[in-house]
Amino acid sequence: MGTAARAETPPDPVALTPSTSGRTEGEADVIVVGAGPAGAAAAHYLAQTGLEVLLLEKGRFPRDKVCGDGLTPRAVAELIRMGVPTEESDGWIRNWGLRTHGAGHTIELPWPELAEMPSYGLARSRTNLDETLARHAVASGATLREGMAVTGPILHERSGRILGVVAKPVDDAGRRTGEEVAFRAPVVVDAGGVSARLATAMGIEKDFHRPMGVAVRTYFRSPRHDDPMMESHLELWDGEPGRSNLMPGYGWLFALGDGTVNVGLGSLSSTAKPTGLDYKAMFRTWMRNAPEEWELTPENQIGELRSAALPMAFNRRPHYRKGLLLVGDSGGMVSPFNGEGIAYAMQSGRIAADVVSQSLARSSGYEREKTLRTYPKILAEELGGYYSLGQAFAHIIERPEIMRLCVRHGLPRPTLMRFTMKLLSDGFDRRDGDWMDRTITALTKLAPAS
């Protein structure tokens, strides 16, 4: 992490000031650090309001990201809001529901028909998805700078308010290729992912008592590449099912429609403390016991097996401090229920953009700051209660024996599973739904938005 640069005192605490640290590369109304789904969404919506938006990305597109590549209907709804085309001819594959395996049972459930989101999901590799969203933000008017690794914030000398960022040009391997430069703006959005370097530099630390997930995944050539359903495995055995040891975690298989499937394993812990588990070894064990007809063999594997941490349930707060807003993984916005992060990344980017654009339309520094401070409150209202329920869920199911009991007694009951699917996928109407939707909505309102 680079040392934070300092600047002279500006007459207005949220006005642009000339840089006094490093070579000035550019000034903007807003800087967005990270061009993943959260950053791209924020940049898109901000640019649409006519603001000068600078989107900084340390990698170069196309670049990979560890993810399941599955998009729930809630994520699809965010794509629709952004106006992103999702035609199959462009490489998107639709799925109409979820197939779940466990305790000797298999159940297939279609995505619910709701008012707030479509009744289908999508799959798209993150290599393609992230570039599509970033280019969409550029088409909306944002300026994208690839190969720019942000090393630290530029801070106001006395107040500690962020006034911009310092970045270094890097190549595909992360090697420095030029002199460090300064970018300046009155508001900065940290969409830099789980590392949240800017947030950490400004004293916003991770809460180790919040749930944390770990995911490992790779790709295979497989005849299941055009499966019309997303698939989850709630039990992972290290041998023949029912006659061997049950491993912690769950598995997935998402068809990508291009001859390949994304196969991964996820594990959930109620805290961020290290579990000591060898997730890659667990994955390889699961693959050795996968059905032969899936053809998930080493010969058909494409690329390496990669892992990533999944920061959950607002594990880094506050989401706003002194001109810096956190969106997506930087603010711990992965669902403890299912490891979904893309939907909330785009949602938080949309909310942040609305708050920032409203703030910059105000005539005084006091009014701008008052508006920016509404961002954490809006997030808490939208997601706080749901994430609190997710924390309780994490405590219950992190032990394999408890998970097995839930699967054994729940999976054979279709009505219960439909309710569970709505809860776990965040696939329920909050305003005008059926009794299941109303029940889940009531629970999220009762749960403290902590």
Side-chain angles (χ1 to χ4, degrees), residues 79-98:
L79 291 173
I80 293 171
R81 288 187 180 94
M82 287 180 65
V84 176
T86 58
E87 299 298 326
E88 289 191 39
S89 57
D90 293 328
W92 302 84
I93 179 172
R94 291 193 180 191
N95 53 73
W96 62 271
L98 180 66

Side-chain angles (χ1 to χ4, degrees), residues 161-209:
R161 187 179 189 86
I162 194 167
L163 300 175
V165 299
V166 178
K168 61 181 180 181
V170 295
D171 61 17
D172 291 341
R175 294 183 295 258
R176 185 168 179 161
T177 60
E179 293 299 315
E180 199 169 62
V181 294
F183 300 96
R184 305 178 64 80
V187 181
V188 177
V189 177
D190 186 351
V194 63
S195 62
R197 291 186 175 89
L198 285 178
T200 302
M202 294 188 65
I204 307 175
E205 300 292 342
K206 181 170 64 177
D207 183 351
F208 284 87
H209 297 289

Side-chain angles (χ1 to χ4, degrees), residues 7-207:
E8 297 298 325
T9 305
D12 184 325
V14 286
L16 282 169
T17 58
S19 173
T20 61
S21 175
R23 180 171 63 88
T24 300
E25 182 76 11
E27 295 185 349
D29 295 314
V30 189
I31 293 171
V32 180
V33 179
H44 158 75
Y45 287 111
L46 286 164
Q48 281 198 325
T49 67
L51 294 172
E52 289 289 332
V53 183
L54 183 59
L55 179 59
L56 303 178
E57 166 59 40
K58 67 179 179 180
R60 294 181 184 276
F61 294 110
R63 56 109 170 99
D64 195 15
K65 172 81 172 180
V66 177
C67 183
D69 299 340
L71 300 169
T72 64
R74 181 162 294 281
V76 177
E78 292 295 335
L79 291 173
I80 293 171
R81 288 187 180 94
M82 287 180 65
V84 176
T86 58
E87 299 298 326
E88 289 191 39
S89 57
D90 293 328
W92 302 84
I93 179 172
R94 291 193 180 191
N95 53 73
W96 62 271
L98 180 66
R99 180 186 302 115
T100 304
H101 302 271
H105 300 283
T106 298
I107 187 170
E108 294 186 350
L109 294 172
W111 295 116
E113 295 184 359
L114 303 170
E116 297 179 18
M117 63 197 77
S119 58
Y120 63 90
L122 291 169
R124 189 85 185 270
S125 73
R126 285 294 297 272
T127 301
N128 294 314
L129 174 68
D130 286 16
E131 181 170 14
T132 296
L133 297 183
R135 302 299 181 209
H136 189 73
V138 171
S140 298
T143 299
L144 172 65
R145 292 292 301 274
E146 301 175 55
M148 276 291 171
V150 172
T151 58
I154 300 172
L155 301 179
H156 181 267
E157 188 172 7
R158 288 196 291 272
S159 70
R161 187 179 189 86
I162 194 167
L163 300 175
V165 299
V166 178
K168 61 181 180 181
V170 295
D171 61 17
D172 291 341
R175 294 183 295 258
R176 185 168 179 161
T177 60
E179 293 299 315
E180 199 169 62
V181 294
F183 300 96
R184 305 178 64 80
V187 181
V188 177
V189 177
D190 186 351
V194 63
S195 62
R197 291 186 175 89
L198 285 178
T200 302
M202 294 188 65
I204 307 175
E205 300 292 342
K206 181 170 64 177
D207 183 351

